[in-house]
């Protein structure tokens, strides 16, 4: 459509609102004045805008992921597994958006990044508190990272609450038990502030679900949604590692981590080990 035709089409829509003197606008609803003014380049380098926006967008997507996981946890606790599946399906779709963001960031060359990297100081994605909250929500609890957030008392408290909360996998295992499948008491009463460790009774319960999926259809669907989330999470981690390697090689990260070396190690972390193990034994 030409610009002239576009203008004519808009003019023909007599019901379109144009007077917002006393009405809320689209920009006001989304608070775009705050969002679009939050990109403060410290170096003035052209490509720093890309770097900031990619990370800000990722944080917004992680906010949605947390929103949906927390809602799913609530639904599972109330045995509303169909609603939980809907929430978790949205988490997976959101994860795909975050993964694609690495494709945009990878257009940043090593020489370009070095032009403004020093402006970051010790700031690093390693310090993303929402990323830690996502890990906590999925059951990977690491108490040593809480020290990073002591600077902000309110944020530190928020992280502590997330750290102490029951994870998505814990409530899924509780749902297995409520359905009549045998789960060891030590798992049902475990300290949820500790990283989850695989358990034979949990593996056996999931095996029963998969072998008799028509009987346990909602639990079967829930399990597949959990596998989706971990699959996408690992793909995100891999793309993160390869993008960092592409841009800075094996340099130490701005936050003090070993950079690519650290990112390679976390690729081996699992959230839902039994759901992966049973695939070998089915």
């Amino acid at each position: 459509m030409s610009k002239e035709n576009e203008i004519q089409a808009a003019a023909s829509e007599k019901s379109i609102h144009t007077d917002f003197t006393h009405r809320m606008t689209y920009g006001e609803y989304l608070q775009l004045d705050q969002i679009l003014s939050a990109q403060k380049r410290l170096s003035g380098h052209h490509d720093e805008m890309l770097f900031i926006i990619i990370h800000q967008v990722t944080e917004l997507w992680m906010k949605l992921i947390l929103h949906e996981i927390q809602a799913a946890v609530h639904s599972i606790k109330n045995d509303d597994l169909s609603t939980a599946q809907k929430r978790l399906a949205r988490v997976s779709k959101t994860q795909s958006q975050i993964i694609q963001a690495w494709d945009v960031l990878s257009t940043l060359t090593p020489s370009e990044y070095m032009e403004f990297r020093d402006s970051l100081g010790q700031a690093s994605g390693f310090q993303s508190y929402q990323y830690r909250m996502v890990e906590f929500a999925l059951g990977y609890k690491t108490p040593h990272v809480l020290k990073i957030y002591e600077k902000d008392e309110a944020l530190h408290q928020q992280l502590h609450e997330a750290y102490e909360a029951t994870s998505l996998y814990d409530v899924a295992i509780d749902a297995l038990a409520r359905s009549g499948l045998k789960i060891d008491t030590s798992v049902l009463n475990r300290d949820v502030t500790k990283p989850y460790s695989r358990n034979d009774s949990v593996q056996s319960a999931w095996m029963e679900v998969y072998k008799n999926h028509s009987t346990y259809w909602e639990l079967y669907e829930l399990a597949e949604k959990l596998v989706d989330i971990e699959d996408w999470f690992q793909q995100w981690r891999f793309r993160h590692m390869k993008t960092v390697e592409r841009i800075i090689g094996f340099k130490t990260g701005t936050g003090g981590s070993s950079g690519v070396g650290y990112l390679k190690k976390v690729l081996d972390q699992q959230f839902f080990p039994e759901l992966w193990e049973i695939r070998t034994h089915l």
Side-chain angles (χ1 to χ4, degrees), residues 41-55 102 104-127 240-257 259-260 263:
R41 287 182 293 165
L42 299 181
S43 68
H45 190 277
H46 174 84
D47 294 305
E48 190 180 357
M49 182 66 75
L50 163 67
F51 191 82
I52 293 171
I53 288 176
I54 287 294
H55 288 84
W102 293 121
V104 182
L105 187 59
S106 66
T107 65
L108 182 68
T109 68
S111 298
E112 290 164 346
Y113 182 50
M114 287 305 116
E115 291 290 326
F116 64 85
R117 188 182 191 229
D118 288 346
S119 299
L120 275 63
Q122 280 74 56
S124 165
F126 183 85
Q127 298 145 18
H240 184 187
M241 181 269 291
K242 293 307 293 184
T243 302
V244 170
E245 184 177 3
R246 174 174 178 155
I247 296 175
I248 68 168
F250 286 81
K251 291 185 180 71
T252 300
T254 52
S257 76
V260 170
L263 296 173

Side-chain angles (χ1 to χ4, degrees), residues 203 207 210-211 270 273-282:
Q203 183 178 9
M207 281 286 287
Y210 273 74
K211 286 181 176 179
Q270 282 190 316
E274 295 88 355
L275 288 174
W276 294 97
E277 290 176 10
I278 61 171
R279 281 152 164 76
T280 303
H281 304 293
L282 282 170

Side-chain angles (χ1 to χ4, degrees), residues 3-282:
K3 188 66 176 177
E4 182 180 343
N5 289 339
E6 186 178 342
I7 293 172
Q8 289 176 351
S12 69
E13 295 288 336
K14 304 300 183 183
S15 62
I16 291 178
H17 298 293
T18 57
D19 182 1
F20 288 91
T21 306
H22 302 293
R23 294 173 179 168
M24 179 178 64
T25 66
Y26 168 83
E28 289 169 340
Y29 173 68
L30 295 177
Q31 300 185 57
L32 291 181
D33 56 336
Q34 296 182 47
I35 294 173
L36 299 180
S37 62
Q39 295 75 44
K40 311 291 187 185
R41 287 182 293 165
L42 299 181
S43 68
H45 190 277
H46 174 84
D47 294 305
E48 190 180 357
M49 182 66 75
L50 163 67
F51 191 82
I52 293 171
I53 288 176
I54 287 294
H55 288 84
Q56 288 180 339
V57 168
T58 297
E59 291 292 336
L60 285 172
W61 281 130
M62 283 196 287
K63 182 173 184 176
L64 180 59
I65 286 172
L66 286 166
H67 179 69
E68 299 298 344
I69 290 177
Q70 289 161 1
V73 166
H74 178 77
S75 295
I76 295 169
K77 285 181 176 179
N78 288 283
D79 292 318
D80 184 1
L81 300 189
S82 61
T83 298
Q85 291 162 19
K86 168 72 173 178
R87 306 299 186 212
L88 297 178
R90 185 174 293 164
V91 169
S92 295
K93 291 296 184 182
T94 305
Q95 288 175 294
S96 72
Q97 296 298 308
I98 295 179
I99 292 168
Q100 290 177 25
W102 293 121
D103 294 337
V104 182
L105 187 59
S106 66
T107 65
L108 182 68
T109 68
S111 298
E112 290 164 346
Y113 182 50
M114 287 305 116
E115 291 290 326
F116 64 85
R117 188 182 191 229
D118 288 346
S119 299
L120 275 63
Q122 280 74 56
S124 165
F126 183 85
Q127 298 145 18
S128 169
Y129 68 87
Q130 288 198 125
Y131 175 80
R132 297 304 171 190
M133 290 177 71
V134 171
E135 283 192 327
F136 292 170
L138 297 178
Y140 186 69
K141 305 292 181 76
T142 47
H144 63 275
V145 302
L146 293 173
K147 185 171 179 58
I148 296 171
Y149 311 101
E150 289 179 349
K151 177 181 179 179
D152 185 330
E153 185 176 344
L155 177 59
H156 192 243
Q157 178 60 33
Q158 184 181 356
L159 265 293
H160 254 293
E161 291 173 3
Y163 175 74
E164 294 173 352
T166 306
S167 76
L168 176 62
Y169 199 42
D170 285 320
V171 297
I173 292 171
D174 289 344
L176 289 173
R178 288 196 301 275
S179 73
L181 294 163
K182 183 173 175 54
I183 303 293
D184 289 346
T185 303
S186 61
V187 176
L188 298 175
N189 297 325
R190 79 180 195 88
D191 182 354
V192 298
T193 67
K194 305 296 184 185
Y196 177 80
S197 296
R198 69 163 304 284
N199 177 271
D200 287 340
S201 69
V202 174
Q203 183 178 9
S204 296
W206 284 126
M207 281 286 287
E208 184 71 16
V209 168
Y210 273 74
K211 286 181 176 179
N212 300 281
H213 54 267
S214 58
T215 302
Y216 299 104
W217 181 254
E218 287 198 320
L219 286 168
Y220 174 72
E221 285 286 282
L222 175 62
E224 284 298 288
K225 293 296 184 293
L226 294 178
V227 171
D228 286 343
I229 287 172
E230 180 155 353
D231 188 352
W232 283 111
F233 199 95
Q234 291 296 73
Q235 290 187 53
W236 181 87
R237 281 173 163 169
F238 180 79
R239 289 293 292 120
H240 184 187
M241 181 269 291
K242 293 307 293 184
T243 302
V244 170
E245 184 177 3
R246 174 174 178 155
I247 296 175
I248 68 168
F250 286 81
K251 291 185 180 71
T252 300
T254 52
S257 76
S258 59
V260 170
Y262 169 79
L263 296 173
K264 283 186 175 181
K265 280 188 279 188
V266 300
L267 285 172
D268 293 329
Q269 294 170 359
Q270 282 190 316
F271 299 117
F272 319 128
E274 295 88 355
L275 288 174
W276 294 97
E277 290 176 10
I278 61 171
R279 281 152 164 76
T280 303
H281 304 293
L282 282 170

